[in-house]
Amino acid sequence: MQIINKKYSVVSSYLAITVFLFLFFSASLLIFGFSVQFSLFVSLIFVLFTIAILKFTVFTETTKLFSRIKDLEQHSMDYNAGIKLLIKRDLELNYANEKLNDLDQAKSNFISVVAHQLRTPLSGIKWTLNMILNGDMGEMNNDQKTFLMKAYESNNRMITLVNDMLDTDRIQSGKMHYNFRYINPVHLLDNVLFELGPQASKKNIYIGFENKLENIPQVFIDPETIRAVFQNLLENSIKYTMENGKIVLDVKIDGDMLEVLVKDNGIGIPEDQQKNIFNKFFRARNALKVETDGSGLGLNIAKTIVEKNGGKIWFESLEGRGSTFHFTLPIKGKTKQNLEQ
């Protein structure tokens, strides 16, 4: 519409100029003494000549206009075809997404059923082995105790794997329940250290704090899940730190967050594999050499839990030098409203 209006404007301008020139030219001839007939004749020839030029101009402009309209129609057809293709792709993606959700739900249900079915007999085996090892079924010699202890430890690893799979499934499906409340995180850390102390002592690993834990504020978190994060990071440090190693802990305020640090001088993580460290079932190649058992789910679970509690987790590591894991938690009164939402 704008193009057509522009063309009409051009034609109108040409007509106005032609009329003006006709009148001006006729008047000029009369002023110079030419007869009226001659003046009109010459002016008419001039007007006809001007009209011929005008027609040619209009024809040229019209040709350009139709060419432009044809281009616009082609663009419009291409645009409509693109829109239809996008709608088709969107429908296909929605259908594929629904299929993936169905498959994910089926996988989730399968893992949940299998894990629950495994956990019951594994718990029974653990209870039976524990009775035998405690001598409730009679005395055993050292070789028998050694083999039974290996079976007991393997059974515990299977139970841990099953529990990790169930935790991962609950987190992914949104079935994990969080009971947020105010708590001093140092109390959680002390409890975990008390439980893991014997493991560190077996390898003569020193665990200490970088700074005195004074005036540490409360945080608004789910204690049970954050306790699992403390346990996972400390267990990893103990597991992948050689004998006579060192683990340093620190808790400090960083703005409206509380930052927790777990640093060790263990085997570290290869640089080319650090990007995958929080992926499910991933274990670094040097970790596999040190400890063959492990689900590769712990850090993935820890990352999800920290984020659900309103924080974030990251790390630095050098292979052969050790790793430092950091995670943050919201300080009391700072993000309560956001977490509840």
Side-chain angles (χ1 to χ4, degrees), residues 132-133 138-150:
I132 296 173
L133 287 169
E139 292 295 325
M140 295 182 298
N141 59 42
N142 290 335
D143 289 339
Q144 290 172 326
K145 284 184 178 181
T146 300
F147 280 107
L148 278 175
M149 182 57 71
K150 289 181 179 179

Side-chain angles (χ1 to χ4, degrees), residues 248-315:
V248 176
L249 307 173
D250 195 18
V251 180
K252 58 186 178 181
I253 299 173
D254 182 14
D256 59 353
M257 307 295 282
L258 196 70
E259 181 181 336
V260 181
L261 176 149
V262 180
K263 180 179 181 180
D264 64 59
N265 59 352
I267 63 174
I269 304 167
E271 185 176 357
D272 62 321
Q273 296 192 316
Q274 292 183 10
K275 62 181 180 295
N276 301 316
I277 205 65
F278 290 112
N279 292 347
K280 285 188 293 186
F281 302 110
F282 177 80
R283 297 187 70 208
R285 55 175 174 268
N286 56 346
L288 290 169
K289 293 177 182 178
V290 174
E291 185 71 37
T292 55
D293 296 311
S295 65
L297 292 170
L299 286 175
N300 176 266
I301 293 172
K303 181 176 186 292
T304 305
I305 287 173
V306 168
E307 290 173 351
K308 290 290 186 181
N309 278 269
K312 63 179 182 177
I313 186 169
W314 69 98
F315 70 95

Side-chain angles (χ1 to χ4, degrees), residues 189-329:
L189 189 54
D190 285 340
N191 290 335
V192 173
L193 286 173
F194 179 78
E195 291 181 6
L196 298 181
Q199 294 183 29
S201 297
K202 284 182 182 179
K203 299 175 69 175
N204 196 31
I205 294 174
Y206 166 81
I207 300 180
F209 289 91
E210 187 170 325
N211 298 296
K212 290 184 179 181
L213 301 184
E214 297 178 345
N215 301 320
I216 300 299
Q218 287 189 327
V219 288
F220 187 71
I221 59 170
D222 172 47
E224 291 303 315
T225 54
I226 292 300
R227 187 182 187 282
V229 174
F230 280 130
Q231 185 168 349
N232 176 264
L233 294 180
L234 283 167
E235 280 183 342
N236 283 347
S237 287
I238 294 170
K239 188 185 299 183
Y240 300 116
T241 298
M242 299 298 102
E243 291 187 0
N244 303 314
K246 182 179 180 181
I247 298 173
V248 176
L249 307 173
D250 195 18
V251 180
K252 58 186 178 181
I253 299 173
D254 182 14
D256 59 353
M257 307 295 282
L258 196 70
E259 181 181 336
V260 181
L261 176 149
V262 180
K263 180 179 181 180
D264 64 59
N265 59 352
I267 63 174
I269 304 167
E271 185 176 357
D272 62 321
Q273 296 192 316
Q274 292 183 10
K275 62 181 180 295
N276 301 316
I277 205 65
F278 290 112
N279 292 347
K280 285 188 293 186
F281 302 110
F282 177 80
R283 297 187 70 208
R285 55 175 174 268
N286 56 346
L288 290 169
K289 293 177 182 178
V290 174
E291 185 71 37
T292 55
D293 296 311
S295 65
L297 292 170
L299 286 175
N300 176 266
I301 293 172
K303 181 176 186 292
T304 305
I305 287 173
V306 168
E307 290 173 351
K308 290 290 186 181
N309 278 269
K312 63 179 182 177
I313 186 169
W314 69 98
F315 70 95
E316 302 99 27
S317 184
L318 286 174
E319 187 174 6
R321 300 287 297 276
S323 303
T324 303
F325 278 82
H326 311 253
F327 68 94
T328 57
L329 300 171

Side-chain angles (χ1 to χ4, degrees), residues 2 17 25-26 95 108 113 155 163 168 192 212 225 246:
Q2 289 180 351
I17 293 171
F25 195 65
S26 298
Y95 177 75
S108 220
V113 170
N155 186 72
N163 288 335
T168 302
V192 173
K212 290 184 179 181
T225 54
K246 182 179 180 181

Side-chain angles (χ1 to χ4, degrees), residues 97-137:
N97 188 53
E98 289 176 2
K99 282 290 187 183
L100 285 173
N101 287 335
D102 291 342
L103 289 171
D104 189 60
Q105 185 60 44
K107 177 209 72 176
S108 220
N109 292 337
F110 174 77
I111 290 175
S112 181
V113 170
V114 170
H116 278 292
Q117 292 297 322
L118 283 173
R119 188 159 63 172
T120 301
L122 286 171
S123 297
I125 293 170
K126 178 180 179 179
W127 178 74
T128 303
L129 289 173
N130 191 53
M131 286 182 62
I132 296 173
L133 287 169
N134 288 334
D136 295 341
M137 308 299 292

